[in-house]
């Protein structure tokens, strides 16, 4: 969303998108201060990432949305989407799902390591809470099988009634979507080693059936018994594997980003999901795609505007910019795992933080990155100083760090609550938002010279804010995204006078703050990232908000 100042005129709270939905969940449309106009740079995403998919007994395609903690039912003919497991409930990070013969839906809840049963009436029951990094899940009749997406993972049969476990195979190099083949054997991928294996549901030795596959993320059989293997790597590759001919394969290059899973309807039409952008397509045998759900954004998280006005958004799985036309899908500049905040340099390079501990300087033109720091505790906002140094809010450690272009990192401020974003003001002072303490702090530059390394102690310039996250400075004005109040606030840095620019912003799902946080890591694998709403000032006087 990009509000832009307009002298004395404006549409107030009038919705301004061709899409009549204010966001990807139900809620009011944003209300805008009359002297501003609010314009969307992209339409709301209809799915918050699309992970595991499976057809239910009602003929609808059920879609697990890992980042949202929800499951929706999609009508492929009409495109209608209905939430069936809403966010805010016990299912926290669904990554895959499967239906049993009795119509029950079983869900792999990855980060907590749980498996759930949703009965045909909609009731949820916990099957087990003891399958670390559970991902692939499938049913053979009323029997239930799962695997683990971790090094040396396991493939297990789980008792639907008592959660009891029986080991079928070990040593999986990141398991994922699996299925029983027409020969009655379970087929599953090893994502790291690029292989597909099979094992009997009744036990016995596992057998490798395919290798040299790039990042195989899902193994699926069509209604005729043909094996398909999806790759989550570049190019959106799908392989048909002829098991009867010794594993001969045919390659389909879809061009899609982030393939995750596939399902076949009763007429053997193939549907494919994309975890990076929430898109769902029908895939023809010749590789053509028909859009069922338009791709969108997984976040977005941080946002930056380059000197030429290009908007860059950090979208967890990738870095994107708005499409060339209003409401067009975002354009992927590069797949950068995992991008959560971004600063733009005059030379076109971008500086990115990952909540999993890394800070990287990245060149979109070459796709190459240079690591600036690692092992940090939930780094969030990043700002670029004129001399090439980066300043980073290390939210998990309550610190603000300086990363010189050459030299060792050093601490500029410590003992903060949860610093989430940083920005420089016109005098070279450093502003920091502290979400836990509801404040924005300022560290004065030594001699008010932005080239000096010295900064004074933090001083509060704004207090009483409700979970401030992204901040940006334009001239003498400070813009603050208050997640707790769902609004964008502007404050005059000279007078301290504040006003609200936009209210009722859809900054987080309805359950925000009501549930305990999931761990950022689970058994060495990345978990669900924390929400973060960035804001940036553009050269044309507008403000861009994620």
């Amino acid at each position: 969303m990009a509000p832009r100042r307009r002298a004395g005129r404006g549409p107030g709270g009038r919705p301004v998108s061709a899409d009549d939905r204010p966001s990807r969940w139900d809620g009011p449309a944003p209300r805008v201060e009359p002297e501003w106009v609010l314009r969307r740079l992209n339409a709301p995403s209809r799915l918050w990432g699309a992970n595991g998919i499976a057809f239910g007994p009602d003929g609808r395609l059920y879609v697990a949305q890992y980042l949202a903690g929800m499951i929706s039912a999609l009508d492929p003919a009409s495109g209608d989407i209905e939430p069936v497991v809403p966010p805010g409930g016990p299912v926290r990070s669904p990554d895959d799902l499967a239906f049993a013969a009795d119509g029950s839906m079983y869900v792999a809840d990855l980060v907590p390591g749980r498996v759930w049963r949703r009965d045909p009436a909609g009731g949820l029951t916990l099957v087990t809470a003891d399958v670390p990094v559970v991902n692939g899940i499938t049913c053979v009749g009323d029997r239930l099988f799962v695997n683990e997406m971790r090094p040396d993972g396991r493939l297990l049969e789980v008792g639907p009634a008592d959660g009891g476990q029986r080991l079928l195979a070990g040593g999986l190099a990141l398991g994922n979507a699996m299925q029983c083949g027409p020969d009655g054997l379970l087929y599953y991928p090893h994502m790291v080693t690029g292989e597909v294996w099979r094992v009997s549901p009744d036990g016995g030795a596992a057998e490798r059936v395919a290798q040299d596959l790039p990042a195989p993320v899902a193994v699926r059989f069509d209604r005729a018994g043909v094996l398909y293997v999806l790759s989550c790597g570049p190019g959106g590759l799908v392989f048909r594997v002829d098991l009867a001919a010794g594993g001969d394969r045919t390659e389909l290059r879809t061009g899609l980003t982030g393939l995750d899973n596939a399902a076949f309807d009763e007429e053997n039409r193939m549907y494919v999901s994309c975890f990076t952008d929430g898109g769902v397509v029908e895939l023809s045998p010749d590789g053509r795609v028909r859009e069922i759900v338009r791709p969108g954004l997984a976040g977005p998280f941080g946002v930056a505007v380059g000197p030429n006005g290009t908007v860059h958004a950090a979208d967890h799985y990738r870095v994107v910019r708005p499409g060339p036309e209003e409401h067009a899908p975002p354009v992927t500049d590069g797949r950068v795992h995992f991008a959560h905040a971004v600063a733009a340099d005059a030379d076109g390079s971008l500086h990115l933080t990952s909540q999993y501990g890394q800070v990287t300087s990245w060149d979109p033109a070459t796709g190459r990155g240079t690591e600036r720091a690692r092992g940090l505790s939930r780094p969030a906002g990043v700002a670029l100083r004129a001399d090439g140094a980066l300043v980073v809010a290390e939210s998990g450690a309550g610190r603000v760090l300086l990363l010189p272009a050459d030299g060792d990192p050093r601490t500029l401020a410590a003992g903060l609550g949860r610093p989430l974003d940083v920005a420089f003001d016109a005098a070279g002072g450093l502003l920091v938002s502290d979400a836990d303490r509801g404040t924005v702090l300022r560290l004065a530059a030594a001699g008010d010279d932005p080239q000096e390394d010295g900064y004074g102690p933090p001083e509060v310039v704004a207090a009483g804010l409700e979970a401030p996250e992204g901040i940006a400075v334009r001239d003498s004005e400070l813009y603050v995204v208050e997640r707790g109040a769902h609004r964008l606030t502007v404050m005059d840095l000279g007078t301290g006078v504040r006003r609200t620019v936009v209210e009722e912003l859809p900054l987080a799902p309805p359950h925000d703050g009501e549930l305990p946080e999931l761990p950022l890591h689970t058994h060495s694998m990345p978990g669900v990232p924390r929400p973060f709403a960035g804001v940036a000032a553009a050269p044309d006087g507008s403000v861009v908000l994620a």
Side-chain angles (χ1 to χ4, degrees), residues 336-350:
V336 183
H337 290 186
F338 296 92
H340 296 130
V342 57
D345 210 331
D347 64 3
S349 60
L350 301 176

Side-chain angles (χ1 to χ4, degrees), residues 116-461:
W116 298 89
R117 174 180 179 260
R118 181 181 184 268
D119 62 44
L124 280 171
T125 305
L126 180 64
V127 176
T128 179
D130 189 27
V131 186
V133 203
V134 61
N135 193 324
I137 188 167
T138 194
C139 295
V140 181
D142 288 323
R143 297 173 68 182
L144 174 64
F145 301 88
V146 299
N147 66 40
E148 299 169 337
M149 193 185 73
R150 61 168 175 159
D152 199 23
R154 300 174 298 166
L155 193 159
L156 306 167
E157 180 173 11
V158 176
D162 61 7
Q165 299 180 5
R166 184 170 66 93
L167 178 66
L168 294 178
L172 275 67
L174 303 194
N176 213 301
M178 63 180 179
Q179 191 174 9
C180 186
D183 55 6
L185 303 179
L186 291 169
Y187 287 72
Y188 56 96
H190 286 216
M191 292 180 63
V192 173
T193 58
E195 300 169 329
V196 173
W197 288 67
R198 66 185 174 191
V199 69
S200 170
D202 298 320
E207 176 190 7
R208 186 175 62 194
V209 296
Q211 57 186 329
D212 299 324
L213 295 162
V217 70
V219 174
R220 286 290 181 257
F221 288 89
D222 71 4
R223 299 283 176 168
V226 177
L227 173 62
Y228 286 78
V229 182
L230 278 65
S231 168
C232 64
L237 299 179
V238 177
F239 299 91
R240 290 194 197 97
V241 182
D242 188 341
L243 297 175
D248 289 349
R249 64 187 68 167
T250 303
E251 177 184 308
L252 298 176
R253 184 175 293 271
T254 69
L256 301 172
T257 300
L259 296 184
D260 191 280
N261 218 306
F264 293 85
D265 68 10
E266 291 184 351
E267 298 181 15
N268 209 28
R269 289 184 291 247
M270 183 179 185
Y271 296 86
V272 175
S273 61
C274 298
F275 69 91
T276 54
D277 58 27
V280 177
V281 303
E282 179 186 346
L283 180 61
S284 299
D286 61 3
R288 290 177 299 165
V289 298
R290 181 175 71 89
E291 185 178 283
I292 306 297
V293 177
R294 176 180 52 195
L297 295 175
F301 293 81
V303 65
V305 184
N308 61 355
T310 300
V311 176
H312 305 276
D315 198 42
H316 187 55
Y317 299 113
R318 56 191 179 139
V319 177
V320 302
R321 50 189 162 85
E325 300 175 359
E326 191 170 4
H327 308 304
V331 176
T332 299
D333 279 329
R335 292 183 63 182
V336 183
H337 290 186
F338 296 92
H340 296 130
V342 57
D345 210 331
D347 64 3
S349 60
L350 301 176
H351 307 280
L352 306 163
T353 67
S354 162
Q355 292 180 31
Y356 303 111
Q358 296 78 37
V359 181
T360 304
S361 295
W362 180 69
D363 183 356
T366 64
R368 296 176 180 172
T370 301
E371 188 175 84
R372 302 286 293 267
R374 66 181 298 113
L376 303 183
S377 179
R378 301 184 191 175
V382 58
L384 176 67
R385 206 169 63 173
D387 63 350
L390 300 179
V391 174
V392 176
E394 191 181 8
S395 66
R399 300 191 301 176
V400 177
L401 299 180
L402 178 73
L403 306 180
D406 296 305
D408 296 328
R410 68 183 186 86
T411 300
L412 298 181
L416 309 182
R418 185 161 54 99
L420 279 183
D421 205 6
V422 286
F424 290 102
D425 62 20
L430 178 63
L431 296 164
V432 184
S433 62
D434 190 327
D436 282 356
R437 297 178 180 174
T439 60
V440 174
L441 310 170
R442 183 176 188 268
L443 285 67
D448 279 339
D449 182 353
Q451 299 297 321
E452 293 288 340
D453 279 352
Y455 288 89
E459 297 182 354
V460 175
V461 295

